[in-house]
């Protein structure tokens, strides 16, 4: 008796000052009544959306053959998913941790409609209510409403987060995607003493495709990601944000007069040849970087080959080299014994054209959405890239991956990143010593995450940690990290947690594997 009373007094002040979880969810007595939701809806000009079961036409009881066929055909389309209020890019996060949800079956190969799913169609891991914000005032109203009722609150922009941070079972979210205005401001200054610079002010919903197009219209190039539908001003920036020009632009805005590209594949006849090809690709990374080449390459054990997407920008037309020079630079890999290359080099005058004509058509094929995916990433440090013994282990890691787990090497970080002090921003200090980073993806069936998928992803992750170390790209990670605090932020974590406790003591802004989620939950 004494113990429990003492314990209560000891922990209560701490508990109250740092948490109000568990959050209030729909169907609980604490959840706002219809009339309160209606009042909120009126105050945001009818922009409160009750999430719909968008896959229900594929389920017994509400089956609609034609509609289900349409849904199965369109579910992997980036722009279609972008338009779903509560939907996400990857279906596993639309389900809860018991695979409850309403995923759409795959389209049968003969193009007929999938058979009706004999299961319950539920919201699963998706938000229950969404405020489709059109202004700062809408966001303020949504945040105040969530705080008043202690709701599980989420900010959703495009729903790309691989860790499902923009969703949550029973959550109430604000959707920023449609606040996608942009302004080109000449002579902008952050503070009165700063130097003037030209900047693009982008709304929180502007995506990569829109940013490149807007910059192109204004005769400049902006730093963004590889994938058109990723939000350029939301989670991308919060987690660091890397892209094709990351190694040279950092976050600056500049102009290119020509961009050389080389795209293509190299396929090998057997595993021995594939092993040699991977080894040559890894060895090429330093010489390519020294010559200003950027981009990505992927390796696939199923195809026994690699796919290359290489870019090199020039800030003056006079400096621009012959695009076939890129082919020459890749020669050691293109000439790997037992492998056949099929590559093509081009020169394109503007970055936006490069993106629309070359990069995006390829990228949408290699980074699928509308699927159930587990992903992991690791930074590739300068120490590693200069250490032959460790590089040998990297090569073995790539070749020994399960064949259906593709590997992606991203030369989207580098010299420009190092100009910033490691402690100047929240991102992991190891970024300031990163040469590149890599991802491995492991897909599961449309029905949801399986034990086999989780176990395989865990085994790959353990190997990756042994070979590359513990530091990951926060934005390209799943949920299996042993210590997400160390992996995502390293020594910055304690400082970030201190700030979080000060500015959000009730844990209103919460998400999976985020700062403070070990205290407030998510
Ligand atoms: C197919 C695909 C391709 C990708 N390609 C790249 C790439 O080329 N380069 C790269 O760096 N990353 C890439 N990513 C990772 C991407 O950066 C992250 O998924 C990022 O979190 C997406 O941010 P979002 O705002 O678009 O998505 P969301 O899922 O909507 O948001 C992600 C997180 O940011 C928070 N958030 C969003 N907007 C705000 C805001 N205004 N204020 C506060 N919090 C906010 C959300 O709450 C959530 O926690 C890719 C991801 C996918 C799925």
């Amino acid at each position: 008796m004494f113990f429990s009373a003492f314990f209560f007094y000891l922990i209560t002040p701490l508990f109250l000052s740092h948490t109000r979880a568990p959050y209030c969810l729909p169907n609980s007595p604490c959840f706002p009544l219809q009339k309160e939701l209606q009042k909120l809806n009126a105050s945001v000009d009818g922009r409160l959306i009750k999430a719909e079961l968008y896959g229900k036409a594929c389920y017994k009881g509400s089956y609609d053959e034609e509609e289900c066929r349409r849904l199965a055909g369109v579910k992997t389309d980036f722009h279609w998913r972008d338009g779903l209020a509560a939907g996400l890019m990857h279906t596993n996060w639309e389900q809860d941790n018991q695979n409850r949800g309403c995923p759409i079956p795959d389209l049968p190969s003969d193009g007929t409609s999938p058979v009706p799913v004999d299961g319950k169609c539920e919201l699963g891991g998706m938000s229950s209510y969404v405020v489709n914000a059109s202004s700062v005032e809408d966001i303020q109203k949504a945040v105040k409403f969530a705080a008043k009722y202690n709701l599980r609150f989420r900010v959703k922009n495009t729903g790309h987060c691989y860790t499902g941070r923009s969703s949550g079972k029973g959550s109430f979210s604000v959707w920023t995607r449609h606040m996608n205005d942009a302004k080109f401001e000449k002579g902008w200054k952050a503070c009165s003493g700063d130097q003037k610079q030209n900047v693009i002010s982008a709304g929180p919903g502007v995506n990569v495709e829109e940013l490149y197009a807007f910059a192109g219209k204004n005769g400049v190039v902006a730093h963004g990601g590889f994938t058109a539908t990723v939000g350029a001003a939301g989670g991308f920036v919060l987690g660091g944000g890397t892209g094709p020009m990351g190694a040279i632009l950092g976050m600056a805005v500049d102009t290119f007069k020509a961009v050389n590209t080389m795209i293509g594949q190299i396929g090998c006849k057997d595993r021995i040849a594939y092993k040699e090809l991977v080894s040559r690709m890894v060895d090429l990374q330093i010489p390519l970087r020294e010559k200003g080449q950027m981009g990505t390459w992927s390796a696939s054990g199923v195809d026994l080959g690699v796919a290359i997407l290489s870019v090199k920008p020039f800030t003056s037309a006079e400096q621009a080299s012959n695009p076939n020079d890129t082919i020459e630079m890749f020669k050691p890999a293109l000439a790997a014994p037992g492998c056949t290359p099929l590559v093509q080099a081009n020169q394109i005058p503007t970055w936006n054209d490069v993106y629309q004509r070359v990069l995006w058509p390829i990228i949408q094929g290699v980074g699928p959405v509308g699927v159930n995916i587990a992903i992991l990433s690791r930074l590739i440090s300068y120490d590693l890239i200069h250490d032959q013994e460790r590089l040998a282990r990297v090569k073995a890691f790539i070749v020994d991956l399960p064949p259906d787990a593709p590997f992606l090497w991203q030369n989207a970080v580098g010299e420009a990143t190092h100009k910033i002090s490691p402690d100047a921003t929240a991102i992991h200090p190891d970024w300031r010593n990163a040469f590149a980073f890599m991802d491995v993806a492991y897909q599961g069936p449309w029905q949801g995450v399986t034990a086999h998928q989780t176990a395989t992803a865990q085994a790959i992750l353990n190997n990756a940690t042994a070979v590359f170390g513990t530091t990951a790209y926060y934005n390209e990670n799943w949920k299996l990290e042993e210590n997400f605090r160390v992996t995502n932020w390293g020594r910055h974590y304690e400082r970030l947690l201190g700030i979080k406790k000060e500015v959000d003591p009730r844990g209103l802004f919460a998400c999976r594997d985020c700062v403070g989620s070990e205290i407030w939950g998510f």
Side-chain angles (χ1 to χ4, degrees), residues 96-108:
D96 66 13
N97 54 12
Q98 287 167 44
N99 276 352
R100 284 179 297 218
C102 194
I104 298 166
D106 292 336
L107 190 68

Side-chain angles (χ1 to χ4, degrees), residues 78 88-90 154-162 165-166 176 204 224-227 229-236 238 240-244 367-369 410 437 473-476 511 514:
F78 287 78
L88 303 162
M89 286 294 159
H90 294 118
R154 294 289 186 267
V155 179
K156 186 202 156 195
N157 181 20
T158 68
H160 275 78
C161 182
Y162 283 112
R165 295 186 177 106
S166 38
T176 56
F226 285 92
T227 297
T229 46
V230 165
F236 173 80
L238 290 175
T242 72
V369 294
Q410 302 214 41
F437 71 100
Y473 179 18
Y474 165 88
N475 271 346
E476 301 197 352
C511 47
C514 289

Side-chain angles (χ1 to χ4, degrees), residues 260-263 288 293 308 310-312 314 321-331 334 345-346:
N260 285 354
T261 66
M262 190 193 85
I263 55 170
L288 286 172
Q293 290 297 137
I308 300 168
S310 191
V311 286
K312 179 173 178 180
F314 299 92
S321 60
N322 186 319
N324 287 330
D325 289 356
T326 310
I327 295 185
E328 196 57 32
M329 286 179 223
F330 274 93
K331 211 162 186 181
L334 299 175
N346 270 304

